[in-house]
Amino acid sequence: LFSLFQVVHAHKPHFMALHCQEFGGKNYEASMSHVDKFVKELLSSDAMKDYNRARVYLDENYKSQEHFTALGSFYFLHESLKNIYQFDFKAKKYKKVTGKEIYSDTLESTPMLEKEKFPQDYFPECKWSRKGFIRTRWCITDCAFDLVNIHLFHDASNLIAWETSPSVYSGIRHKALGYVLDRIIDQRFEKVSYFVFGDFNFRLDAKAVVETLCAKATMQTIRAADTNEVVKLIFRESDNDRKVMLQLEKKLFDYFNQDVFRDNNGTALLEFDRELSVFKDRLYELDISFPPSYPYSEDSSQGRQYMNTRCPAWCDRILMSHSAKELILKSENDEKIVIYDHIGPNVCMGDHKPVFLSFRIAAGAGKPIANVHKCCVVQ
């Protein structure tokens, strides 16, 4: 929380959206009891004292496998912000936001949001998945926009991800994200600009990355004795005493030099970040200038270290419709008023490093009488 509060203090947003995934952690049945403490601390903290209105939506109903997404969406409104309304999807009208309200368990009955879990057949390898999205709609001084909290499917096996380019998992994420984008611009409601942010689980093109990182290496294949299934790939330098460069297993990606993912924020690898290119006509993203957001070590003393479980990738993103891009106030001088960055670069914050986008809404955005307000969205 301290790292989050530092961002709030630095950027002082009038409207703040905080989107969380895997609320309660992977052991949510045991850990969900800690969520209430986290929420209370967030709402009552000194850093948030000037935010006199809040809406919190927590999907904690883990006993309902049919609906459970483990998503958490928090929205904070600064006391200086006037005329802010939230959309009621059932009544199809905006309602003025007052006070602080927390909703949990059965979010399906809350008309102020739309929540869906992806159909089971989207990812048949899983017994059941928590992947899905929550959508809310807001209007600040006549400027309306949707905020969508999303969690897409992960890579189940490094070996399978390595087999094809693009990978089979990339195709599954493509299908699910396309479903969400179609859903939020369908005919049921007026179309507005939208921001989609969360854990997209976008991965680098594994085949291309391995071929580049191990261009001069020889590959050794290790198979299971009983099934002949490939269980490990070892890439060794052709000379230099055949030094091991990379070991690849289902849940092992052990490359000998992690600096390649950190140096210059890993930007040399951005050419392999290709999953968003399919949606270039529908989604826009500011330039990435932070290192891959996953998978960080969960050792509290290793804030900058990656785990050797997956190839580091920019899983956590903030994307927007092309119309939303027009809401963002452009700088007329050298002042950096739009910031897209990560939080807690040297602090252990779990296996994902949160990212945030801070910007001002352009005067006149939405309608001519709009005022300028500062927003901060955090994944």
Side-chain angles (χ1 to χ4, degrees), residues 177-196:
L177 181 52
Y179 173 85
V180 174
L181 297 182
D182 290 343
R183 184 77 173 146
I184 61 179
I185 62 163
D186 62 19
Q187 301 303 312
R188 294 169 303 142
F189 308 104
E190 179 188 2
K191 290 181 184 177
V192 300
S193 301
Y194 55 83
F195 296 84
V196 186

Side-chain angles (χ1 to χ4, degrees), residues 215-262:
K216 297 179 180 177
T218 56
M219 186 179 80
Q220 175 188 358
T221 304
I222 298 174
R223 298 177 181 271
D226 51 347
T227 63
N228 206 36
E229 179 187 4
V230 175
V231 293
K232 188 170 188 171
L233 301 174
I234 301 175
F235 296 83
R236 300 176 186 273
E237 288 192 25
S238 302
D239 46 23
N240 195 22
D241 296 328
R242 297 192 37 81
K243 175 184 172 183
V244 174
M245 298 182 71
L246 173 68
Q247 297 182 77
L248 203 65
E249 296 177 13
K250 180 179 180 179
K251 293 187 177 180
L252 178 74
F253 188 98
D254 188 359
Y255 187 64
F256 79 103
N257 179 20
Q258 277 201 5
D259 287 343
V260 71
F261 304 109
R262 286 190 290 256

Side-chain angles (χ1 to χ4, degrees), residues 130-233:
R130 295 180 293 281
K131 309 300 191 288
F133 71 94
I134 287 178
R135 168 199 194 185
T136 57
R137 177 171 290 190
W138 303 84
C139 186
I140 302 178
T141 329
D142 291 329
C143 179
F145 51 86
D146 279 351
L147 297 178
V148 183
N149 182 352
I150 196 167
H151 193 185
L152 297 182
F153 302 103
H154 62 285
D155 280 15
S157 166
N158 292 322
L159 294 169
I160 293 173
W162 175 82
E163 287 174 355
T164 57
S165 178
S167 78
V168 61
Y169 304 117
S170 172
I172 295 167
R173 289 187 283 271
H174 176 191
K175 179 180 176 183
L177 181 52
Y179 173 85
V180 174
L181 297 182
D182 290 343
R183 184 77 173 146
I184 61 179
I185 62 163
D186 62 19
Q187 301 303 312
R188 294 169 303 142
F189 308 104
E190 179 188 2
K191 290 181 184 177
V192 300
S193 301
Y194 55 83
F195 296 84
V196 186
F197 48 111
D199 179 7
F200 291 82
N201 262 313
F202 288 162
R203 306 301 170 101
L204 303 186
D205 187 319
K207 194 165 187 63
V209 167
V210 171
E211 287 172 354
T212 301
L213 294 180
C214 304
K216 297 179 180 177
T218 56
M219 186 179 80
Q220 175 188 358
T221 304
I222 298 174
R223 298 177 181 271
D226 51 347
T227 63
N228 206 36
E229 179 187 4
V230 175
V231 293
K232 188 170 188 171
L233 301 174

Side-chain angles (χ1 to χ4, degrees), residues 46-75:
D46 191 56
M48 305 301 291
K49 68 179 186 302
D50 294 331
Y51 294 84
N52 61 349
R53 289 150 293 168
R55 291 294 181 272
V56 178
Y57 304 105
L58 303 173
D59 189 1
E60 297 181 303
N61 190 22
Y62 58 82
K63 292 179 180 175
S64 173
Q65 293 192 3
E66 184 184 348
H67 298 292
F68 181 52
T69 63
L71 293 172
S73 297
F74 299 72
Y75 303 99

Side-chain angles (χ1 to χ4, degrees), residues 284-304:
Y284 172 78
E285 181 178 30
L286 286 129
D287 291 338
I288 291 175
S289 59
F290 48 87
S293 65
Y294 171 87
Y296 280 92
S297 168
E298 295 181 284
D299 180 339
S300 60
S301 66
Q302 301 285 334
R304 284 170 45 83

Side-chain angles (χ1 to χ4, degrees), residues 143 326-330 359-367 370-373:
C143 179
E326 301 308 313
L327 302 182
I328 295 176
L329 184 66
K330 311 296 188 295
F359 63 92
R360 289 181 180 272
I361 295 176
K367 290 188 181 172
N371 297 320
V372 176
H373 290 293

